[in-house]
Amino acid sequence: MLGRIVFFLCLPSVLAAQLCKPNAAEGFKVRLSIKTALGDKAYEWNRNQRFLFQAALAFAMSHHLDLEFDVSNILVCDETPRVSFWFVVTSPDDPSRLVGKKSVESAVRESRSRINNILLLNDATLEFVGVLPTLASPAKPATPSWLIVFGVVIGMIGAGIVFLIVSMVVQKKRKEKEAGEEEEEDDEEAQMKGTARNEGIYNTSFSEDDRNTQM
């Protein structure tokens, strides 16, 4: 009886050793640069930090596949002091069966920012070898893009209408000013002509009186 209990207690460790190993077909290597990322505030990689990583991966897998993964499904092996290790993911329904590499990669890419934040790292200091970093999705503006375009178009139309109105007013004032100047010039010309005619009239009564006086 005692032998069976010991066997069942050791079974997960034996199974993990068989499934998780360097260069496993469904495994991934992870490198962490904790001191590079955090400097003097760098934390020590230990079993608690490893548990946190496993929990983050379990969350990513559960979110991606809509299944209930837990830390026991994330097997970690071949840890090195610098810190690097390998991991594989087992199926929640059958712990002896590994989840496909593509599914794990998709889950990591989908939740990469959450994993980074949990470990206080980033894509440069938490490297999943063979998994390309996922670019952050562009922030969605509070105002829809079509509404911004509509506002710009309406603003341009409004500016055009204002420009036309101002141009018409300026042209009207200019025409009125030119018309007033022309009227003033016509009045001045008429006055000059009238003065010229008055100065050119010959008074015959004075000429006859002059002739009679001389005789």
Side-chain angles (χ1 to χ4, degrees), residues 31-192:
R31 295 193 188 101
L32 291 83
S33 301
I34 302 173
K35 290 185 178 180
T36 302
L38 302 176
D40 296 336
K41 296 181 179 180
Y43 53 81
E44 180 183 358
W45 182 260
N46 52 34
R47 58 182 299 179
N48 295 328
Q49 299 299 331
R50 182 174 64 249
F51 179 86
L52 193 60
F53 172 82
Q54 291 172 297
L57 259 294
F59 163 81
M61 295 300 302
S62 300
H63 179 71
H64 180 67
L65 296 178
D66 196 21
L67 296 173
E68 292 186 6
F69 288 81
D70 57 37
V71 293
S72 63
N73 296 119
I74 313 300
L75 306 182
V76 176
C77 60
D78 196 42
E79 291 186 73
T80 64
R82 287 193 60 90
V83 175
S84 68
F85 54 85
W86 285 78
F87 78 91
V88 293
V89 181
T90 62
S91 171
D93 300 326
D94 184 2
S96 64
R97 183 169 59 87
L98 295 179
V99 177
K101 195 168 186 176
K102 290 185 178 180
S103 296
V104 177
E105 180 178 354
S106 298
V108 170
R109 287 172 59 85
E110 186 176 351
S111 300
R112 186 65 182 268
S113 60
R114 297 288 296 272
I115 299 171
N116 290 347
N117 291 338
I118 288 173
L119 296 175
L120 304 178
L121 302 175
N122 54 42
D123 288 352
T125 53
L126 174 57
E127 180 185 4
F128 289 82
V129 179
V131 180
L132 296 177
T134 304
L135 297 177
S137 57
K140 295 183 180 180
T143 305
S145 57
W146 67 266
L147 186 59
I148 296 175
V149 175
F150 178 76
V152 171
V153 173
I154 293 299
M156 293 176 65
I157 293 174
I161 293 174
V162 172
F163 177 77
L164 290 176
I165 293 174
V166 172
S167 299
M168 292 174 62
V169 172
V170 171
Q171 290 179 359
K172 184 177 180 181
K173 290 183 177 181
R174 185 179 298 172
K175 289 181 179 180
E176 291 177 353
K177 183 178 180 180
E178 291 176 354
E181 291 177 352
E182 290 178 357
E183 290 180 359
E184 290 179 358
E185 290 178 357
D186 292 341
D187 292 341
E188 290 179 357
E189 290 180 0
Q191 291 177 1
M192 290 176 64

